[in-house]
Amino acid sequence: MTAHVDSHAAPTSAEDFLNRRATLSQRIHTVLHRQPALSPAIVLVLAGAVFALLNSRFYQLGNLSLVAQQVAVVGSLAVGQTLVILTAGIDLSIGAVMVLSSLVMSKLAFDHGVPGVLALLIGAALAVAAQAVNGLLVTRIKLPPFIVTLGTLSIFTAATLIFAKGQTVALPPGAFLLWSSQTISLGSLHLTTGVLLMIALYAVIGFALRYTAWGRHLYAVGDDVEASRLAGISVNRVLLSAYMVAGLAIAVAAWILVGRVGGGDPNSGINANLESITAVVIGGTSLFGGRGVVLGSLIGACIVQVFDNGLALAGFDPNYQVLAVGVLVIAAVSVDQWIRSVKS
Amino acid sequence: MTAPVLEAKGLVKLFGRVVGLNDVDLTLYPGEVLAVIGDNGAGKSTLIKCLSGAMVPDEGSILVNGSAVHFKGPQDARDAGIETVYQTLAVAPALDIASNLFLAREIRRKGPLGSVLRMLDTSAMKQQATEHINRLGITTLQNIGQAVETLSGGQRQAVAVARAGAFGGKVVILDEPTAALGVRETGQVLKLVKDLRDQGLGIILISHNMPNVFEVADRIHIQRLGSCAGVITPRSHSMEDAVAVMTGAKTLTPTSGT
Ligand SMILES: Nc1ncnc2c1ncn2[C@@H]1O[C@H](COP(=O)(O)OP(=O)(O)O)[C@@H](O)[C@H]1O
Ligand SMILES: [Mg+2]
């Protein structure tokens, strides 16, 4: 570091000039820094505008309802993924836990005659317990989250397949577990209870992250583990809680999945895990931890679905959606790199 | 003289066969800056880790205001009024200044918003953070809502020092707080150290920088090869003497110093 010889802070005219020139990019930088969900929000609005121009059916409420319903599962899962990624981790098993949980819920209710509410609670408890296993392996054995969840991905997938014995479960209409797919119509807007569940999940977790000490500690731990430890935060407790609260989000996603599938299907939600990571990343949450908001992940999940829907309506080959999402992921991570590079 | 605020007696810390600390005594009075100097590996960091609860000594005792304490972790030391500023800047970069000052001791809202919903009282924290920073006379930190990562190294260190000084502690320990700073920023941090001392806190300052040490220290504890080679003052000895003792070129007679 160079020593400042001048003790007077009066800026020279050259400094002034440099300051002025850097202003616009610095301002954008500052704004994006404070509002990590802003750039994905802009992308979502722009994409919506373009798709509406390409095909006017895009903006019909019926179509938007469909998009919302399709977002619900991955959107809920992305809440859990956001929590883990905020701690500078990553969860590759979150989708497998969801499928396991959804299968246990439906199988208990259908094959074993367990009351729906109880089946739901048992499935939810299982999701939280599975995530506690991930969290304990990360905090106690000190393994990297990538490795832990890569391992548990296989374990939970195998558990699902063994438990399912190759069978799907179709719940009878009116079963309690299917409540998550009830349609709620407001004019031509047809939401499902699943969409509302997802929105409630975002509200609760968003509140906790923003307004409680737990949320602040989660950010601090993801930002700088050592600094947090030295500041007196019980780092392991925070990390474990992130995985376990993610388990609750998974349980909500599992319930919505049961509603969409109409029961339990061991082969459902195969791509949900990667899609949840995609949503979080496109939503502006940093893979390096400590930065991002849960609302961004909802926007990210919507962006993916809007591209899927909009490109199809505009008559594009579905493969272009895959391509577009890939470009968005890279762009989002590049923006994050820029936001994190701060010059003082 | 007043009673010591912090005393360590006969501290021993071994790392396998490596001697980290060998029977080290240390005394710190309120309202003084005690510098700890020594070559690399002399045991400076080990010594202050024992005092700040980051390490548990194998032998020896630690007394705060005359009563024995047994720190099992940094929180125990903090509860006893010993705050530490570590060599690595212990601040969360993405959080703002106020949040950093109150990290791990956040204030919750009054009533059910705080007790049931566990909501933070951000305005109270901001207000109190501003008060602390003004009281400590830190002029380099203006916008309390600014993210710490947008601050310069000196400002960040000021946040860390303010955090340590803000919470009614008795002792502030600083491990090489100016190692990564430029001349002007070092000056700011040293001024802050003097201000904390003038408020009656006991300060332990670890530094490699002899001119800095001789500028702010009231007494100087010299570590050498895990042991205390003596305690001198800037008035009784020159910088050359200090360096000579540090490197073993000279030994102090037991009567010199305090
Ligand atoms: N955690 C540790 N494990 C093993 N040896 C250590 C550890 N910490 C310090 N030491 C050793 O103890 C001695 C004192 O180290 P330290 O207190 O860091 O010295 P200083 O801070 O004065 O440079 C050195 O020989 C160092 O290698
Ligand atoms: Mg050291």
Side-chain angles (χ1 to χ4, degrees):
Chain A
M1 187 176 253
T2 49
H4 294 274
V5 186
D6 62 318
S7 53
H8 317 287
T12 63
S13 57
E15 257 180 79
D16 256 355
F17 177 72
L18 282 175
N19 284 342
R20 213 170 297 144
R21 235 181 32 155
T23 301
L24 181 64
S25 119
Q26 263 177 1
R27 270 194 201 150
I28 297 175
H29 189 277
T30 310
V31 171
L32 290 185
H33 196 271
R34 296 208 158 179
Q35 310 286 349
L38 187 62
S39 29
I42 293 170
V43 170
L44 181 60
V45 169
L46 287 181
V50 170
F51 290 131
L53 286 177
L54 289 177
N55 187 334
S56 58
R57 269 182 51 207
F58 176 80
Y59 257 119
Q60 285 170 7
L61 285 177
N63 185 51
L64 291 182
S65 312
L66 188 68
V67 171
Q69 291 174 25
Q70 285 167 337
V71 159
V73 172
V74 170
S76 303
L77 207 53
V79 172
Q81 191 67 257
T82 311
L83 293 175
V84 175
I85 289 182
L86 277 177
T87 68
I90 190 129
D91 199 330
L92 301 177
S93 72
I94 212 165
V97 174
M98 171 181 73
V99 179
L100 177 60
S101 169
S102 75
L103 201 82
V104 167
M105 287 176 189
S106 354
K107 236 176 144 58
L108 284 180
F110 191 71
D111 292 359
H112 304 279
V114 176
V117 183
L118 193 59
L120 175 71
L121 290 178
I122 294 173
L126 181 73
V128 174
Q131 286 299 101
V133 170
N134 281 333
L136 285 172
L137 287 170
V138 168
T139 54
R140 300 288 149 198
I141 323 269
K142 309 261 178 255
L143 299 175
F146 182 90
I147 300 300
V148 167
T149 56
L150 185 64
T152 52
L153 162 65
S154 291
I155 294 170
F156 296 141
T157 305
T160 305
L161 296 175
I162 293 167
F163 183 63
K165 301 194 188 86
Q167 288 171 340
T168 58
V169 183
L171 290 169
F176 169 80
L177 282 169
L178 296 181
W179 181 78
S180 60
S181 60
Q182 286 254 314
T183 308
I184 298 166
S185 295
L186 300 160
S188 41
L189 186 66
H190 307 290
L191 296 179
T192 57
T193 31
V195 173
L196 299 186
L197 276 174
M198 175 194 74
I199 292 171
L201 180 64
Y202 272 94
V204 170
I205 302 297
F207 174 89
L209 282 177
R210 183 149 166 61
Y211 294 109
T212 71
W214 175 75
R216 193 152 289 189
H217 294 176
L218 197 77
Y219 280 98
V221 167
D223 196 11
D224 191 331
V225 180
E226 210 38 47
S228 305
R229 199 189 311 276
L230 294 175
I233 293 175
S234 353
V235 169
N236 282 346
R237 229 160 62 200
V238 171
L239 284 174
L240 182 60
S241 74
Y243 283 90
M244 290 177 68
V245 176
L248 283 179
I250 296 172
V252 172
W255 190 15
I256 301 173
L257 181 68
V258 169
R260 283 190 65 77
V261 173
D265 179 353
N267 298 314
S268 60
I270 294 293
N271 295 322
N273 207 109
L274 282 181
E275 286 169 359
S276 75
I277 296 173
T278 303
V280 173
V281 171
I282 292 182
T285 294
S286 173
L287 283 171
F288 298 93
R291 204 177 302 268
V293 289
V294 78
L295 176 64
S297 305
L298 179 58
I299 298 174
C302 288
I303 289 176
V304 173
Q305 211 55 57
V306 159
F307 267 75
D308 193 30
N309 179 277
L311 286 173
L313 281 182
F316 282 93
D317 185 319
N319 289 326
Y320 281 102
Q321 185 260 346
V322 182
L323 189 130
V325 168
V327 172
L328 282 176
V329 167
I330 307 255
V333 176
S334 309
V335 170
D336 176 53
Q337 282 287 27
W338 181 61
I339 294 176
R340 292 185 325 114
S341 68
V342 207
K343 307 145 260 334
S344 50
Chain B
M1 205 167 192
T2 46
V5 59
L6 177 67
E7 277 174 286
K9 290 179 183 164
L11 291 187
V12 175
K13 181 78 191 177
L14 303 174
F15 302 104
R17 266 172 297 165
V18 176
V19 180
L21 290 179
N22 178 18
D23 192 18
V24 173
D25 293 352
L26 177 143
T27 309
L28 177 71
Y29 294 94
E32 76 161 347
V33 175
L34 175 69
V36 175
I37 63 173
D39 229 339
N40 277 331
K44 304 182 296 292
S45 293
T46 307
L47 174 59
I48 64 128
K49 278 180 185 160
C50 291
L51 299 177
S52 65
M55 268 182 195
V56 181
D58 299 331
E59 273 173 48
S61 56
I62 298 173
L63 294 89
V64 174
N65 283 344
S67 37
V69 288
H70 301 278
F71 300 147
K72 292 189 182 61
Q75 194 57 46
D76 292 347
R78 214 170 280 129
D79 292 343
I82 299 174
E83 293 282 336
T84 309
V85 176
Y86 294 92
Q87 208 160 358
T88 50
L89 297 173
V91 286
L95 295 179
D96 63 35
I97 296 174
S99 303
N100 264 285
L101 286 188
F102 282 92
L103 196 57
R105 51 183 134 216
E106 288 85 359
I107 303 175
R108 269 198 245 131
R109 290 255 199 127
K110 292 197 178 63
L113 284 181
S115 57
V116 180
L117 294 181
R118 316 194 72 75
M119 270 180 93
L120 295 175
D121 195 339
T122 37
S123 55
M125 288 193 283
K126 277 194 179 146
Q127 192 202 329
Q128 290 190 26
T130 312
E131 281 166 18
H132 284 310
I133 282 179
N134 290 341
R135 184 171 55 82
L136 298 172
I138 305 173
T139 47
T140 63
L141 304 177
Q142 263 128 29
N143 179 4
I144 207 85
Q146 208 175 345
V148 160
E149 66 198 342
T150 62
L151 301 175
S152 70
Q155 290 172 316
R156 282 193 208 196
Q157 196 58 279
V159 173
V161 175
R163 186 174 192 281
F167 291 97
K170 305 180 183 102
V171 173
V172 174
I173 301 174
L174 303 112
D175 190 358
E176 307 228 20
T178 59
L181 303 184
V183 172
R184 190 172 59 174
E185 300 189 316
T186 297
Q188 291 168 351
V189 171
L190 293 183
K191 176 179 174 301
L192 199 48
V193 167
K194 290 184 207 162
D195 290 346
L196 291 180
R197 169 190 60 195
D198 293 345
Q199 288 171 29
L201 290 167
I203 314 263
I204 298 178
L205 171 72
I206 295 175
S207 181
H208 267 119
N209 186 316
M210 285 302 139
N212 286 177
V213 165
F214 273 72
E215 184 190 334
V216 295
D218 297 299
R219 294 186 303 131
I220 302 168
H221 171 121
I222 306 175
Q223 272 292 121
R224 179 170 155 68
L225 303 174
S227 304
C228 176
V231 180
I232 60 171
T233 73
R235 288 168 303 284
S236 64
H237 292 77
S238 67
M239 279 189 218
E240 288 71 26
D241 293 335
V243 173
V245 175
M246 226 172 87
T247 54
K250 202 172 174 182
T251 48
L252 290 169
T253 52
T255 49
S256 61
T258 331

